[in-house]
Amino acid sequence: MLTSTTGYMILLVFGVFFTGLTIIMQRRSKTKMTAEEFSTAGRSVGIGLASASIIAAWTWAATLMMSSSTGFQYGISGPYWYAAGACIQVLLFAIVAIHLKRKAPKAHTFLEFIGKRFDQKNHKLMMFFALMTNIIVTAMVILGGAIALNSLTGMNVYVAALLIPLTFTIYTMIGGLKASFIADYLNTVMIFVILTIFATVVYLKFGTTTIYEGLRALPESQQMLTMASVPGLLFGMINIIGNFGTVFVDQSYWQRAIASKDSAASKAYIYGGIAWFSIPFAIATFLGVTAAGLGLNITDPDASAPLMAAELLGSVGSILFLVMLFMAVMSTGAAELTAITNIIVTDIYRKSINPTASSEKTLKVSRIVTLSFGLAMGILSVLLFNIGIGLGFVYMAMGIFVSGAVIPLTIGLLWKRATNNGCFYGALAGMVSGITVWLLSANMLSGEITVESLGQLHAMLYGNVTVFVVSGVISIGHALISKQEFDFEAMKDQFKSFDEEEKELQLATEREVI
Amino acid sequence: MEDKQLMKDAKMCTRWALGLTFILIFAFPGIMFLTGYNYTLQFFKGWTYLAFAWLIIAGLYISIRPWVEVYMEKRK
């Protein structure tokens, strides 16, 4: 076990390093930071950086901890279902990303597109879904980081939850999306390096034969060495369905498409998705499955990865794991923070409060929003922890709350026949019915509604499936019945960058003066 | 012209996204689940080698590609 000082040092070192790096880059930059640059990184990011950033945004604390937990519990099917079940959303997102580029080339958020494609009530509902996704993901990321810091260093969990957001809030506030991209790249490279070290040590220290024999000797060996594991499959199904919401309704993924060059938008998701697959697949195989095969005495499966890391390399292993986890927390946290800021600035502030705000004013508001939300997220994580809601629970339940918007959103972007009412009521009814089925099935299966009964695999699965079926049937069914058609071409010129809007405003003012 | 290229990209990435999704979610696990195959030592070894190789290749790609792009951009 490391000392709590190590935990504080890691927070301090990485927080100061990334803030310093952002300040240096900002000073060396030849262009002045504008609101447009802050929220879109100049729409000039290439495939490589965008892929790294997508990987960083999708590598949560849960990716490292939960995936290893599935490997420890379900054997070899766990890592596969975690990796494949959460990778396809990124791959499929490539399709919607390129369509957003085509249909709304100058948009800042996907909600801006929704606002023009549908009406106000739909815009507000989708914004509710989007903000809920960002808030839950950020809280979960901080929660995961704080729990890991607490269990590995003994650092106070509440202090950790309040300090973690500070580390990524400050550099995001200074550098905006561009700073987030650079930090994402460094974090992703670091994660790959540390994972490679762990995998190599497993081979050198134990070899695959020892692990295989250990797995065969386990009482539950029937499920540990086969893909035909029913709990593994159930987890896989929840993982697939639940994760659609956290990618498709999360502005941070749309933002990466918006920030990318036209030629990079779709390819970055395909390459990023394939590369991301290797992270949970490798960590869960080399730390989770190996821990089970070696028969380590682990009472909480969620802690299998850090404990296995300590088993491999002692306190060096613990520090490496902590650094890797902290990298994942930082980059996802920064991505979510820029996403929340973009939504609030573009879809609330610029749309309803101050549509004529100058670039300077918009930039100032963006920075205030980033700082406020970063700090508020720490407090929310503490509250969640106090209620007794853990990482695994939030991870699997999240789909029920946010996936209602996935089908309406996707058909709204891809299909000219998607209707306003169909998508609105589909998303709303999907979420309400999903929560209802989840609560009812937890009650019927366990005889009570508690955090524990709601966390059961079957109750989660029924809730997740209901959300998709109901929202899909209503939104697609209504579109087929009503036979309306939308002209995407007509909306193409309705999106303008903040800089263009400011120029137009200046011209209009000059004309008035003349 | 730009829209034409984007349409071409859209078609290409749709094929890749759907194809990979089919392989990762239906084809491979479907076959493995239905046959109820139990991993032999050899297969398990191959499986871990695959995980290791995938990790190395993905790591190298992610680390190097952005630098290559910066270099190419500068040359332009």
Side-chain angles (χ1 to χ4, degrees):
Chain A
M1 171 108 161
L2 304 166
T3 61
S4 57
T5 317
T6 317
Y8 287 107
M9 281 306 288
I10 289 176
L11 290 182
L12 185 73
V13 168
F14 286 103
V16 170
F17 173 75
F18 282 107
T19 307
L21 186 71
T22 309
I23 292 170
I24 292 168
M25 282 179 53
Q26 196 89 315
R27 286 200 178 152
R28 287 187 64 183
S29 172
K30 284 164 194 157
T31 51
K32 195 188 159 206
M33 173 69 84
T34 62
E36 182 70 14
E37 181 77 21
F38 189 88
S39 65
T40 65
R43 301 178 200 265
S44 59
V45 179
I47 298 174
L49 207 52
S51 306
S53 183
I54 289 159
I55 294 173
W58 203 209
T59 306
W60 301 356
T63 310
L64 310 173
M65 307 276 280
M66 270 283 292
S67 63
S68 303
S69 168
T70 61
F72 185 75
Q73 291 177 87
Y74 314 130
I76 54 101
S77 68
Y80 184 85
W81 278 123
Y82 195 102
C87 157
I88 59 155
Q89 294 80 1
V90 178
L91 298 173
L92 293 171
F93 193 83
I95 302 170
V96 290
I98 195 105
H99 280 277
L100 185 79
K101 277 279 183 202
R102 277 191 60 228
K103 289 164 186 165
K106 300 254 172 87
H108 300 87
T109 65
F110 74 93
L111 294 164
E112 214 179 341
F113 173 85
I114 291 293
K116 296 206 193 295
R117 167 74 168 88
F118 297 124
D119 67 0
Q120 280 293 316
K121 69 172 189 297
N122 229 327
H123 180 251
K124 282 181 184 156
L125 180 71
M126 293 299 170
M127 187 153 59
F128 166 74
F129 274 108
L131 286 174
M132 185 163 60
T133 308
N134 289 136
I135 290 169
I136 296 175
V137 172
T138 317
M140 201 170 98
V141 160
I142 297 169
L143 199 69
I147 292 169
L149 272 173
N150 171 261
S151 62
L152 287 170
T153 69
M155 189 176 169
N156 185 296
V157 75
Y158 299 114
V159 178
L162 292 172
L163 287 180
I164 288 172
L166 264 185
T167 58
F168 56 80
T169 300
I170 297 173
Y171 78 76
T172 311
M173 193 183 82
I174 299 169
L177 192 59
K178 192 88 179 188
S180 171
F181 270 103
I182 303 296
D184 285 351
Y185 170 76
L186 294 173
N187 289 341
T188 310
V189 171
M190 197 73 163
I191 289 171
F192 273 108
V193 170
I194 296 175
L195 266 181
T196 308
I197 294 172
F198 283 142
T200 312
V201 175
V202 167
Y203 274 123
L204 296 176
K205 210 168 174 181
F206 303 107
T208 41
T209 313
T210 320
I211 300 159
Y212 179 80
E213 293 304 336
L215 289 170
R216 263 178 45 137
L218 287 171
E220 63 272 31
S221 62
Q222 281 302 314
Q223 83 167 31
M224 299 305 275
L225 282 164
T226 178
M227 282 292 291
S229 156
V230 176
L233 180 69
L234 285 180
F235 167 76
M237 286 167 76
I238 296 171
N239 202 29
I240 293 166
I241 299 167
N243 279 323
F244 267 103
T246 48
V247 173
F248 281 62
V249 192
D250 190 334
Q251 165 63 16
S252 63
Y253 299 92
W254 295 93
Q255 207 152 272
R256 270 139 189 82
I258 289 162
S260 301
K261 289 176 191 164
D262 283 357
S263 56
S266 59
K267 286 174 196 145
Y269 289 90
I270 301 283
Y271 298 154
I274 295 170
W276 180 86
F277 185 102
S278 68
I279 294 177
F281 190 45
I283 192 171
T285 303
F286 293 112
L287 297 187
V289 177
T290 304
L294 295 174
L296 291 195
N297 185 23
I298 293 168
T299 44
D300 178 13
D302 282 353
S304 56
L307 291 175
M308 186 61 209
E311 176 76 17
L312 285 174
L313 291 163
S315 40
V316 175
S318 295
I319 293 174
L320 284 177
F321 185 83
L322 208 55
V323 168
M324 182 172 66
L325 192 91
F326 189 63
M327 293 293 197
V329 169
M330 264 180 103
S331 43
T332 314
E336 293 299 318
L337 210 53
T338 46
I340 292 173
T341 304
N342 254 358
I343 292 174
I344 291 177
V345 170
T346 310
D347 294 281
I348 299 176
Y349 180 71
R350 299 266 315 187
K351 191 176 166 75
S352 312
I353 300 172
N354 191 358
T356 55
S358 65
S359 176
E360 210 172 317
K361 176 83 180 161
T362 308
L363 181 63
K364 196 178 164 193
V365 172
S366 301
R367 285 181 165 152
I368 293 169
V369 171
T370 307
L371 182 66
S372 319
F373 250 91
L375 300 178
M377 283 297 103
I379 298 165
L380 181 72
S381 313
V382 170
L383 289 176
L384 275 177
F385 192 73
N386 260 338
I387 304 169
I389 291 179
L391 200 62
F393 182 88
V394 185
Y395 181 79
M396 292 206 283
M398 212 160 61
I400 300 170
F401 291 102
V402 302
S403 295
V406 173
I407 295 177
L409 199 61
T410 309
I411 63 168
L413 186 68
L414 302 180
W415 195 24
K416 61 184 176 186
R417 284 181 64 181
T419 63
N420 183 51
N421 284 338
C423 289
F424 178 80
Y425 291 109
L428 195 62
M431 181 181 71
V432 173
S433 56
I435 294 172
T436 311
V437 168
W438 181 38
L439 294 171
L440 282 175
S441 49
N443 194 32
M444 281 163 73
L445 293 166
S446 308
E448 56 178 359
I449 298 177
T450 57
V451 171
E452 201 181 319
S453 70
L454 288 169
Q456 299 297 315
L457 277 178
H458 283 94
M460 292 267 190
L461 180 65
Y462 299 148
N464 271 293
V465 172
T466 307
V467 177
F468 261 83
V469 172
V470 172
S471 65
V473 166
I474 294 175
S475 53
I476 297 171
H478 191 264
L480 291 171
I481 294 166
S482 65
K483 291 180 181 170
Q484 295 169 17
E485 283 198 359
F486 184 80
D487 181 15
F488 283 115
E489 286 301 315
M491 73 186 297
K492 212 171 185 174
D493 299 325
Q494 290 183 31
F495 300 93
K496 288 192 174 87
S497 72
F498 292 148
D499 294 344
E500 278 176 345
E501 276 179 357
E502 193 172 54
K503 265 183 203 162
E504 278 179 13
L505 202 72
Q506 273 174 354
L507 279 173
T509 321
E510 277 168 18
R511 263 187 229 126
E512 262 175 38
V513 171
I514 291 163
Chain B
M1 189 62 192
E2 212 171 67
D3 196 53
K4 225 176 179 182
Q5 184 58 43
L6 281 172
M7 277 300 284
K8 214 173 146 190
D9 282 359
K11 266 185 195 163
M12 187 273 298
C13 79
T14 304
R15 275 185 210 139
W16 273 97
L18 294 177
L20 284 167
T21 301
F22 177 75
I23 292 167
L24 292 172
I25 298 298
F26 299 105
F28 173 73
I31 293 167
M32 297 296 271
F33 196 88
L34 293 174
T35 55
Y37 177 73
N38 253 302
Y39 281 28
T40 59
L41 177 60
Q42 281 306 101
F43 199 91
F44 182 72
K45 271 188 181 172
W47 187 255
T48 53
Y49 291 153
L50 174 75
F52 194 65
W54 201 324
L55 184 71
I56 300 285
I57 295 166
L60 285 174
Y61 168 79
I62 288 302
S63 314
I64 296 167
R65 172 122 197 186
W67 293 106
V68 174
E69 280 172 11
V70 170
Y71 174 74
M72 301 290 269
E73 202 109 299
K74 274 190 178 169
R75 273 192 64 181
K76 263 186 189 173

